[in-house]
């Protein structure tokens, strides 16, 4: 909690200027020529409509960003709400959109630098298209370098740039209006559809406000500041753009504007003379650079978020040990940007593809809001909610508007955008599907109301994957303890062993060569049956040959309508692609039932003896207590339960001492878990360093039971850092548990339920 | 006699490698002084401009450093306390933290690098030495492996 507070250092003004810094970017300096060519003075309507569409997206995004303040912005919300299929599309879409936008900004930079400044500085003139491309390439490479090395940009510099730009545009508007612009005919030369199509072209200027959502975790008092900053960062530039188009089309002829690589500076020459034009050129150079910079940084954040959700290889997200930047992600973004500049796609197309990708993204963001509202996962509690008069009008209208603009865009843009979307889909099927941690909440949203996971026959089943003869017995004993606690007549344990076969070989082919593995599997499952006889519990076994142990286990859980899955863990966090292990991550992350992960400690203390339960406020702490009680009951006299709680020193706001707080908490905890007085002892400690105190105390017990600290609905961590640290740091047996609330049903299941009810 | 400089060492770390070498260098001193160790990682904030990397990503990175630091001290009596701090000025944040936790000294190993690298990354070591009003100890990197 305190960490969170300390990390928040952006007030309304800072959030607003970050948004403005990317919004008042290249767009307004470059687009007037393209927009005027397509729709004449009526392109003002295009800018205005683009602003409205963004405003709708800003309102939806505000709710999502305050509900889930995580790095990655729109990608993250869509992935959480709609699952990894749409997550892949939006992740790659945003990343592509940001690289296309960076390339667009950089070419705009080249245009203002060479033909623009060339009027004042001789040697910059006369380099033609090649010169512009080279200037764009050099600047893009430079920006990539700056972000690779993590050269610090300060808030002060950012403010100076934004203030300069706002000042320049206000001066441009003021003097422009005073010079009496005259608009000949407002009717668009090529008819009203061209105005609609132009929305698609200019939309690229509006993608910047997303940056505010991406920084949600850093904004103070987000329920107020975040929506305000987003809305202000959309409204201000919208008004400015409409004004700039008004002055531009009123001062120069459409032809002159359309032919100019530096439209705003040419207009400024008319109304303010050469000094004014020079000022606008300097402004444009600043703006293009600052926009491209923000885009490159945002693209790296999207990569990070995708890696965190296992949709992308984490290799890309390694932090440089010296510069502390995600240097690989930055380099990748930079290289693609350079390629896009070099192949000469054309500045208009670059802008339109970036717009396309963001319109796809925002269309899905609107859907994500509705899905999250309907599914209402426990951890989704946005500080800002779309006011009831605007919901669900805003997301529905926003979705329809995004789709309408997409349909208006030119064929070539739809084709390129379509290819990127198809790439995202293929990526999902080839890479992400088996790895992704998240699931779609769409099913939850369609289903009539939350349903509890229950077997049709009411039989309690515990699934136990077994792989190691040395740990098999203990895992089965713990599973049996859980089964016995639930009507031991019918409860049963299901032991599973999987032989994993690499992708390249066919399943049969590999098996003939691996007879020893098959024999081992049989031995393991045979001894599981013996153990089950000893424990007096019903047991069935599954021997499986499959590509991926994680998905095979999940299949068994679904097939058996299991109530509980119990896995063993070696006690080492994986450093690279996985959090706890390649099989553990997906099973714990996605199993729709109770899930328990056990790290076995020294013999004689495995789920017996002194059992400590961390009694905290975490949503899954009561599940840990339930597991502990099952163990204690199974072990009869040999086990004792202790509820343990650590409080920070000092009185709280209500004047309670730490000890009083701890006692109140344990009392409430006992109520939630239904333990009885005689079953437990309680122990409260006071310490600054909660984690340290827990680790110290843990050494005095045989088994430590801890609930997941994070809820899966919003976060991708497997159990949370505290349980995982305890599991890793202590030598004792550690049992981590979570309840089933993060289960999400498939769309098919949900529709079936809806039809049945 | 004045108290040991290693009664409670504040160790700022910047990467998992840095955490490993610093803890290894520091270990014998802490053991003989029976002192405490607090390991911190400062996440540099731009204070109004977009940060170079997401806060969340750098928090994950900090947890990696902490895990390495704890591993290094695993078989000693001392379990290091770990903490993430946030600030626009890394050296200043380290010094403030040292006062807050009543540290006896700030301990780090210099990270080398030529002038160009130091210019780019900001020479936190130099700022610590020149700005701190608490003892600052730089330990040579251990060369055994």
């Amino acid at each position: 909690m305190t960490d969170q507070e300390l990390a928040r250092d952006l007030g309304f003004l800072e959030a607003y200027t970050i948004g403005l810094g990317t919004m008042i970017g290249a767009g307004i300096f470059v687009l007037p020529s393209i927009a005027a060519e397509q729709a004449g003075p009526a392109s003002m309507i295009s800018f205005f409509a683009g602003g409205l569409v963004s405003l709708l997206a800003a309102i939806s995004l505000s709710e999502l960003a305050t509900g889930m303040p995580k790095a990655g912005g729109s990608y993250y919300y869509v992935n959480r709400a709609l699952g990894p299929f749409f997550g892949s599309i939006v992740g790659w879409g945003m990343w592509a959109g940001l690289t296309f936008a960076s390339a667009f900004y950089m070419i705009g930079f080249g245009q203002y630098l060479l033909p623009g400044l060339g009027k004042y500085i001789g040697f910059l003139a006369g380099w033609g298209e090649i010169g512009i491309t080279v200037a764009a390439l050099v600047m893009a490479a430079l920006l990539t370098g700056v972000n690779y090395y993590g050269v610090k940009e300060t808030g002060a510099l950012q403010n100076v740039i934004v203030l300069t730009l706002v000042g320049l545009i206000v001066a441009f508007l003021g003097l422009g209006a005073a010079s009496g612009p005259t608009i000949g005919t407002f009717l668009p030369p090529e008819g009203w559809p061209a105005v609609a199509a132009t929305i698609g072209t200019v939309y690229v200027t509006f993608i910047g406000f997303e940056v505010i959502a991406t920084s949600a975790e850093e904004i103070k008092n987000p329920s107020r500041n975040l929506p305000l900053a987003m809305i202000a960062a959309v409204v201000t530039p919208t008004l400015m753009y409409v004004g700039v188009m008004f002055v531009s089309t009123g001062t120069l002829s459409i032809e002159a504007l359309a032919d100019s690589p530096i439209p705003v500076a040419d207009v400024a020459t008319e109304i303010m003379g050469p000094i004014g034009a020079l000022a606008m050129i300097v402004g444009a150079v600043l703006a293009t650079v600052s926009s491209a910079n923000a885009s490159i940084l945002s693209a790296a954040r999207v990569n990070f978020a995708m890696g965190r959700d296992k949709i992308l290889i984490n290799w890309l997200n390694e932090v440089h040990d010296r510069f502390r930047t995600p240097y690989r992600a930055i380099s990748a973004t930079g290289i693609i940007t350079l390629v896009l500049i070099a192949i000469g796609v054309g500045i208009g197309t670059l802008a339109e593809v970036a717009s396309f990708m963001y319109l796809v993204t925002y269309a899905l963001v609107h859907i994500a809001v509705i899905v999250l509202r309907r599914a209402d996962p426990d951890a989704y509690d946005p500080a800002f909610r779309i006011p009831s008069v605007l919901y669900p009008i805003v997301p529905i209208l926003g979705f329809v508007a995004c789709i309408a603009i997409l349909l208006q865009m030119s064929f070539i843009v739809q084709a390129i955008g379509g290819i990127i979307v198809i790439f995202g889909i293929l990526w999902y099927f080839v890479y992400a599907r088996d790895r992704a941690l998240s699931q779609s909440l769409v099913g939850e949203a369609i289903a009539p109301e939350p349903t509890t996971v229950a077997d049709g026959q009411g039989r309690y089943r515990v699934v136990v994957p077994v792989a190691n003869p040395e740990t098999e017995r203990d895992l089965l004993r713990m599973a049996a303890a859980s089964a016995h606690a639930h009507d031991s007549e019918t409860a049963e344990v299901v032991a599973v062993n999987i032989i994993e076969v690499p992708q390249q070989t066919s399943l049969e082919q590999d098996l003939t060569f691996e007879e020893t593995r098959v024999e081992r599997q049989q031995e393991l499952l045979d001894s599981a049956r013996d153990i089950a006889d000893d424990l007096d519990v019903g047991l069935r076994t599954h021997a499986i040959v499959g590509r991926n142990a994680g998905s095979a286990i999940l299949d068994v859980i679904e097939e058996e309508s299991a109530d509980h899955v119990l896995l063993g863990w070696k006690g080492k966090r994986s450093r690279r692609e996985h959090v706890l292990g390649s099989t553990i991550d997906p099973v714990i992350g996605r199993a729709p039932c109770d899930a328990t992960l056990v790290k076995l400690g020294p013999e004689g203390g495995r789920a017996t003896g002194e059992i400590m339960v961390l009694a905290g406020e975490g949503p899954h702490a009561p599940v840990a207590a339930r597991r502990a009680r099952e163990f204690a009951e199974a072990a009869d006299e040999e086990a004792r339960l202790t509820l343990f709680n650590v409080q920070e020193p000092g009185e709280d706001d209500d004047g309670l001492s730490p000890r009083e707080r701890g006692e109140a908490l344990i009392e409430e905890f006992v109520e939630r878990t239904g333990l009885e007085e005689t079953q437990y002892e309680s122990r409260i400690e006071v310490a600054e360093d909660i984690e340290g105190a827990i680790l110290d105390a843990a050494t005095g017990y045989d088994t430590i039971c801890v609930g997941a600290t994070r809820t899966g609905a919003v976060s991708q961590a497997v159990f949370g850092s505290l349980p995982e640290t305890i599991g890793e740091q202590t030598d004792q047996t550690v049992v981590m548990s979570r309840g089933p609330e993060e289960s999400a049903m498939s769309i098919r299941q949900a529709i079936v339920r809806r039809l049945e009810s | 006699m004045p108290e040991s400089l290693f009664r409670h060492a504040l160790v700022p770390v910047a990467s998992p490698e840095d955490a490993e070498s610093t803890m290894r260098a520091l270990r014998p001193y802490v053991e003989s002084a029976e002192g405490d160790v607090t390991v911190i990682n400062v996440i540099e904030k731009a204070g109004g401009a977009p940060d170079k990397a997401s806060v969340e990503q750098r928090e994950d990175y900090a947890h990696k450093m902490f895990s390495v630091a704890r591993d290094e001290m695993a078989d000693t009596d001392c379990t290091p306390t770990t903490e993430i701090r946030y600030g626009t000025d890394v050296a200043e944040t380290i010094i403030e933290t040292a006062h807050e936790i009543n540290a006896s000294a700030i301990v780090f190993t210099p990270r080398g690098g030529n002038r160009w690298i130091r210019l780019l990354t900001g020479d936190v070591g130099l700022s610590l030495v020149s700005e701190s009003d608490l003892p600052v100890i730089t330990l040579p990197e251990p060369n055994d492996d």
Side-chain angles (χ1 to χ4, degrees), chain A residues 3 6-7 9 18 70-71 147 151-153 155 217-218 297 301 304 308 317 321-323 326 689 691 729, chain B residues 14-15 17 44-57 61 70-71 81 86 88 111-112 120-121:
Chain A
D3 279 1
L6 287 168
D9 63 347
I18 285 186
K70 304 276 278 183
N147 288 313
V151 179
K152 194 177 162 191
E153 184 192 355
E217 50 177 359
E218 300 161 39
L297 289 174
R301 291 224 197 339
F304 164 68
R308 179 188 55 199
N317 291 320
D321 66 348
R322 189 86 213 206
F323 308 126
D689 173 19
E691 191 174 292
Q729 302 284 326
Chain B
S15 69
E17 292 75 30
E44 191 174 27
K45 300 283 298 163
D51 285 336
K52 290 293 153 188
S54 104
V55 168
E56 208 184 318
Q57 184 168 22
Y61 194 51
R70 279 199 220 96
D71 281 354
T81 309
Y86 306 82
T88 48
R111 307 186 62 213
L120 283 173
T121 56

Side-chain angles (χ1 to χ4, degrees), chain A residues 612-635:
Chain A
M612 163 171 142
V613 183
L614 290 183
E617 287 154 340
H620 299 280
V623 186
R626 205 181 316 142
R627 293 286 98 82
R629 188 169 59 167
E630 289 165 2
F631 298 153
E633 281 167 1

Side-chain angles (χ1 to χ4, degrees), chain A residues 487-548:
Chain A
D487 192 10
S488 50
E489 294 294 305
T490 58
E492 62 183 1
V493 173
V494 180
V496 191
N497 179 265
I498 293 116
I499 295 182
E500 262 186 319
V501 178
Q503 294 284 5
Q504 306 85 296
T505 43
S506 81
L507 294 173
E508 296 78 19
Q509 179 197 3
D510 197 59
L511 271 192
T512 45
F513 292 117
E514 301 255 2
E515 273 178 41
T516 45
R517 282 171 78 187
V518 179
E519 271 169 35
R520 242 195 93 224
Q521 182 172 49
Q522 285 312 320
E523 278 168 28
L524 256 175
L525 294 177
D526 283 344
S527 72
R529 274 185 280 273
D530 294 343
I531 297 167
D533 283 346
D534 292 351
L535 294 169
D536 195 22
V537 68
L539 179 105
R540 282 184 302 113
T541 59
H542 281 278
I544 296 174
V545 179
R547 299 277 185 221
N548 178 308

Side-chain angles (χ1 to χ4, degrees), chain A residues 248-544:
Chain A
S248 302
T249 50
T251 305
L252 286 182
S253 70
I254 309 281
E255 294 72 38
L257 271 179
D259 289 341
S260 168
I262 49 167
V264 176
D266 284 346
V267 175
T269 314
E270 291 291 314
I271 57 179
M272 304 193 265
I275 300 292
L278 183 61
M280 296 315 287
I281 291 171
V282 171
V285 167
L286 276 182
T288 44
V289 171
S290 109
S291 294
N293 187 46
S295 299
I296 293 173
L297 289 174
S298 301
R301 291 224 197 339
V302 174
N303 286 155
F304 164 68
M306 289 172 80
R308 179 188 55 199
D309 299 342
K310 310 270 187 290
I311 284 180
L312 192 63
I313 35 172
N314 244 334
W315 178 86
L316 207 55
N317 291 320
E318 184 150 310
V319 178
H320 196 285
D321 66 348
R322 189 86 213 206
F323 308 126
R324 270 154 286 159
T325 54
Y327 64 109
R328 286 175 185 155
I330 300 256
S331 309
T333 310
I335 289 167
I336 303 292
T337 305
L338 290 175
V339 170
L340 288 176
I341 297 170
I343 57 176
V345 184
I347 188 162
T349 311
L350 287 175
E352 287 181 47
V353 174
S355 303
F356 185 96
M357 297 328 299
Y358 265 82
L359 286 165
V360 169
T361 301
Y362 291 144
L364 291 169
V365 160
H366 288 300
I367 302 285
V369 175
I370 296 178
V371 165
L372 277 166
R373 281 274 186 110
R374 295 270 316 157
D376 195 25
D378 287 348
Y380 181 68
D381 186 18
F384 166 84
R385 293 180 86 92
I386 301 174
S388 52
V389 285
L390 296 178
Y391 181 89
I393 300 167
V394 163
I396 291 174
L397 205 62
F399 174 76
V400 172
C402 289
I403 298 294
I405 301 172
L406 284 173
L407 294 176
Q408 287 292 325
M409 298 182 84
S410 70
F411 174 73
I412 176 77
V413 172
Q414 289 175 338
I416 299 178
I419 290 171
I420 298 170
V421 169
I422 289 169
F423 177 80
I425 293 173
L426 288 179
W427 182 264
Y428 168 76
F429 283 108
V430 173
Y431 182 88
R433 184 168 52 169
D434 293 336
R435 295 177 173 84
L437 287 174
S438 58
Q439 322 151 276
S440 158
L441 294 171
V442 176
E444 303 285 292
I446 297 174
E449 58 192 42
T451 43
T452 48
V453 182
D455 179 4
Q457 297 123 46
R459 178 176 282 195
Y460 190 87
R461 288 205 181 98
V462 188
V463 168
V464 188
V466 290
N468 179 349
E470 282 164 31
T471 58
E472 189 182 15
R473 173 170 289 271
D474 286 301
L475 293 179
L476 287 168
R477 189 166 47 78
M478 291 184 192
S482 175
H484 281 306
H486 298 80
D487 192 10
S488 50
E489 294 294 305
T490 58
E492 62 183 1
V493 173
V494 180
V496 191
N497 179 265
I498 293 116
I499 295 182
E500 262 186 319
V501 178
Q503 294 284 5
Q504 306 85 296
T505 43
S506 81
L507 294 173
E508 296 78 19
Q509 179 197 3
D510 197 59
L511 271 192
T512 45
F513 292 117
E514 301 255 2
E515 273 178 41
T516 45
R517 282 171 78 187
V518 179
E519 271 169 35
R520 242 195 93 224
Q521 182 172 49
Q522 285 312 320
E523 278 168 28
L524 256 175
L525 294 177
D526 283 344
S527 72
R529 274 185 280 273
D530 294 343
I531 297 167
D533 283 346
D534 292 351
L535 294 169
D536 195 22
V537 68
L539 179 105
R540 282 184 302 113
T541 59
H542 281 278
I544 296 174

